[in-house]
Amino acid sequence: MAKFKRILLKLSGESLQGRQGYGIDKERLTEYAAQIKEIADMGVQIGIVIGGGNIFRGLSGAAGGFDRVKGDQMGMLATAINSLALSSALGAAGVKARVMTAVRMEPIGEFYNKWKAIEALERGEVVIMACGTGQPYFTTDTGSSLRGIEIEADVMLKGTRVDGIYTADPEKDPTATRFDDISYDEVLRRGLRVMDITATAMCKENNLPIQVFNMDCPGNLRRVVEGEAVGTFVHP
Ligand code: UDP
């Protein structure tokens, strides 16, 4: 039994690169599609926002001499590439998926519209919302907070490479401990970098809870959707 009727799943672009260090790892993509199919088969309505860090990030582009706004636009295009890749993998797995984009680029994707997205979700299609917010200086975390709120998702599921939110970076600090749950205020007060401040503040102001979990562990997405305490729950 699914605990949620409608979810917004945030996937980072970086996790799509798998062990390659760049681009799209076909195996990882297929594995993600299989996990998404599992919950689609349970009747969960699924909106997805995917990052672009495996291809291009505006901020690092700017550090390398690119114009920031053009760099961010390149980053948004990177999210469109990842969205197409995921929709293709979902199609191959027998899951109907459509890509909507925050920036007009038909026929690559349909221009995003809240009501069209909800109609598709209610028909059982997975809706992948590309290009983040469509604006520079934002991230796909903020894009996923925004879309999660707009499509009236019950929860944002943030699939990452770590199994939740820690007191410090567990890859650098062996004494770091994991939170089972934490409030938005504490995330902000402790300066925990689970999402950027804008994204966390938007979820807080609009009461969208977040479950942070390790998406690289097959079966975890289903466990979270079934209500198992996998990862860290961020709440008001
Ligand atoms: N981006 C943007 N506006 C948005 C979302 C993303 O300009 O609303 C750009 C930004 O340059 C960002 C890049 O797209 O660095 C890729 O997104 P993000 O870094 O969030 O990807 P992730 O870290 O999740 O892979």
Side-chain angles (χ1 to χ4, degrees), residues 38-164:
E38 250 192 305
I39 63 162
D41 289 345
M42 290 164 73
V44 179
Q45 295 180 18
I46 309 161
I48 301 178
V49 168
I50 186 158
N54 54 323
I55 300 172
F56 200 85
R57 278 208 179 93
L59 211 54
S60 15
F66 277 91
D67 173 78
R68 172 68 195 267
V69 172
K70 289 191 198 301
D72 280 340
Q73 290 170 338
M74 291 165 75
M76 286 187 262
L77 292 174
T79 74
I81 293 175
N82 287 336
S83 298
L84 290 175
L86 185 61
S87 73
S88 166
L90 284 169
V95 179
K96 201 161 182 205
R98 72 166 60 198
V99 174
M100 295 186 114
T101 61
V103 176
R104 276 199 187 279
M105 52 174 84
E106 292 99 343
I108 287 174
E110 187 180 341
F111 191 44
Y112 172 79
N113 168 309
K114 164 188 170 153
W115 294 276
K116 282 197 175 164
I118 290 179
E119 270 172 32
L121 289 168
E122 286 176 342
R123 277 198 303 272
E125 285 179 43
V126 172
V127 179
I128 306 172
M129 292 162 278
C131 305
T133 63
Q135 302 298 330
Y137 297 97
F138 287 99
T139 62
T140 49
D141 277 342
T142 304
S144 62
S145 305
L146 174 66
R147 297 301 184 225
I149 294 159
E150 278 190 282
I151 65 164
E152 298 163 34
D154 301 317
V155 67
M156 185 206 294
L157 304 182
K158 186 172 157 70
T160 66
R161 289 182 302 174
V162 281
D163 60 355

Side-chain angles (χ1 to χ4, degrees), residues 163-170 173-180 190 192 232:
D163 60 355
I165 305 176
Y166 282 76
T167 48
D169 184 348
D173 181 351
T175 68
T177 53
R178 185 170 60 80
F179 295 97
D180 289 332
R190 285 176 176 259
L192 299 172
T232 303

